[in-house]
Amino acid sequence: MKSFDEDAFKAVHAQGGQIVSIRVNPSKTGQRTTNNEQLERVPWSSNGYYLPERPSFTSDPVFHAGAYYVQEASSMFLEEALKQSIDLSQPIKVLDLCAAPGGKSTLIQSLISKDSLLVSNEVIKTRVRILSENITKWGAANVIVTNNDPKDFQRLENYFDVIVVDAPCSGSGIFRKDPGAISEWSENNVQLCAQRQQRILADVMPALKEGGVLIYSTCSYSRQEDEEIADWLVEQFAVGSLQLAIGESWGIIETVSAKYNSFGYRFYPDKVKGEGFFIAAFKKGQVAESIHEIKKHPSAPLRISAPLRISAPLRISAPPSTKKNTEKVTAKEVAIIGSFLSNAGDFVFIKQQDDILAIPANIADDLTLLQSALYIKKAGIKIGSIIRDELIPAHELAGSNFISPSVTRFDVEKETALQYLRREEIKIDTEYKGWALLTYQQLTLGWIKLLENRINNYYPAAWRILNK
Ligand code: SAM
């Protein structure tokens, strides 16, 4: 296949069509009325589908329930990059360094084992909120959201098995989707982006274990931000490029870098059903080897030589307090919480101010460690607070994959679901009084409390749908 076809590339941009794709959350299947099997699949994704047109996601309660994520199709190739470079059935620690709004993080979470940990980081404070919201909606407990600069991760030497750097870039790959981005593009900006990409990678590389996997991606076509960064990585760090297997019909272009023949994968919108994208995978501390070698020995453990070492404490202005988090949760409180969770035994409970958090037992030590080095914005599942022996449940618990099936719930029609999501008053014909879940197509939307003469709506105010 011709690697770059200028005429076809220009023509597809001139057409300006919009491709809409979603990735279904395998943990939240509910009883959906849409039959995914009728939809065209994204060829390199197990849960990705193209939609024939762009629906109003805002007015789809299934979307708000976190049952799918609207993600650009090319980006979903991260799944292949991960599956082909590491054994995902093993417990691993993954860092998604540039994570907001959470597309790659929700994808990674669906791929890793339940004993694995995902640290989903975003440096820009104002973007952490949407990241936390999307992670919360996804419902998993093994994700920790942090708000740190890449250099802060230097404190976690040799800690992660996988680091994903979906780098901020000059954005030429999204020109078709967002023609407004064209006016912001300049050669100078490409240079600035390349320098920033190098800075980010240099800052975070010490946190990758020897033998660990680095996945680097951009939505830029510029070689300075793609293949030249790959060459720079090989030169600066002992990384070996990994060659990935791609389906013949996928239309993805394999490139090799000028200096060190590093493999990269380019997505051109005239060749794939998706936007412009570049991705490359590397293994730390190893000379270039073909990924097919790894595939022959999928269970072979990565060579991890250096033990985890935490260097001097981070100098951050207001580190998260570990003190509050060590406050004991009493046996009585655990019993109250237990009736709300499907597998309470898998968690340890910690108090954070008045809230109780459920942390998967196997990542509790990691959390303690990470708290000493990073700003933790969200960890595990917030269960709620206990007041006079009653749990005031948190929204996170409602949307989590661990809510007990024995919790009372009311499944409602679309109009009632939308009223709820707008935080309006809703009506349900029942004698039941107390806390309950509101569901749509058996997918949880949030909490309600049924009182004598009304129903209180506990959908988070910040998330409510604003338009009618
Ligand atoms: N991975 C995200 C997803 O799939 O939803 C998209 C990430 S976007 C391409 C790049 C991210 O890098 C943005 O969230 C941006 O805020 C963040 N970023 C910007 N400058 C950065 C820097 N200097 N270091 C690390 N991240 C940065």
Side-chain angles (χ1 to χ4, degrees), residues 98-104 122-124 127 150 166-168 196 200:
C98 311
K104 308 280 182 315
E122 171 57 43
V123 65
I124 297 178
R127 289 171 61 82
D166 187 30
R196 182 167 55 179
I200 290 171

Side-chain angles (χ1 to χ4, degrees), residues 69 71 75 96-105 121-124 127 131 148-150 164 166-169 196 199-200 217-219:
Y69 190 95
Q71 186 174 37
S75 304
D96 183 10
L97 183 66
C98 311
K104 308 280 182 315
S105 280
N121 178 71
E122 171 57 43
V123 65
I124 297 178
R127 289 171 61 82
L131 175 62
N148 281 84
D149 189 276
V164 174
D166 187 30
C169 68
R196 182 167 55 179
R199 234 179 13 248
I200 290 171
S217 61
T218 71
C219 56

Side-chain angles (χ1 to χ4, degrees), residues 2 4 12 20-21 34 43 82 126-127 139 157 196 292 415:
K2 206 170 158 188
F4 181 66
V12 84
V20 187
S21 46
T34 6
L82 283 170
T126 49
R127 289 171 61 82
E157 236 180 289
R196 182 167 55 179
H292 305 298
E415 200 33 58

